[in-house]
Amino acid sequence: MDTELIRVTRQVPEKYFKHLEGTKGLYEIRVGVGSNIYRIFSFFDKGNIVVLGNAFQKKLKRRHNKNWKKQLK
């Protein structure tokens, strides 16, 4: 299994952790293991703790479904 380690940093690169545009506080964590990419929806609780929500494996190289905001409701 090929994994990439992330060292302790003050700020996680946007490649791995980014705010989802058009949302209030919803973020996406990206994790790569071998040739697989996993995405985890997350948010902050009281500003300090990252809470992990739904996760899925990205299988296709295309943009998110245009209706993903509706799917979160």
Side-chain angles (χ1 to χ4, degrees):
M1 179 187 319
D2 182 28
T3 59
E4 183 179 335
L5 297 176
I6 299 175
R7 65 181 181 273
V8 176
T9 63
R10 288 184 144 292
Q11 185 174 2
V12 177
E14 188 175 342
K15 175 182 177 182
Y16 302 108
F17 185 76
K18 72 176 185 176
H19 178 256
L20 293 174
E21 292 180 18
T23 68
K24 288 186 176 183
L26 187 61
Y27 293 81
E28 175 187 71
I29 298 172
R30 297 179 72 198
V31 179
V33 179
S35 63
N36 297 315
I37 298 173
Y38 300 93
R39 296 183 178 205
I40 307 164
F41 291 122
S42 59
F43 57 92
F44 286 94
D45 180 36
K46 298 182 182 176
N48 299 349
I49 299 171
V50 176
V51 178
L52 304 179
N54 188 36
F56 61 95
Q57 180 180 5
K58 182 176 179 186
K59 295 184 179 183
L60 301 175
K61 290 188 176 190
R62 62 180 177 149
R63 303 290 276 164
H64 290 293
N65 182 336
K66 291 180 182 179
N67 296 320
W68 65 269
K69 290 180 192 175
K70 292 179 185 177
Q71 294 171 359
L72 294 175
K73 291 181 181 180

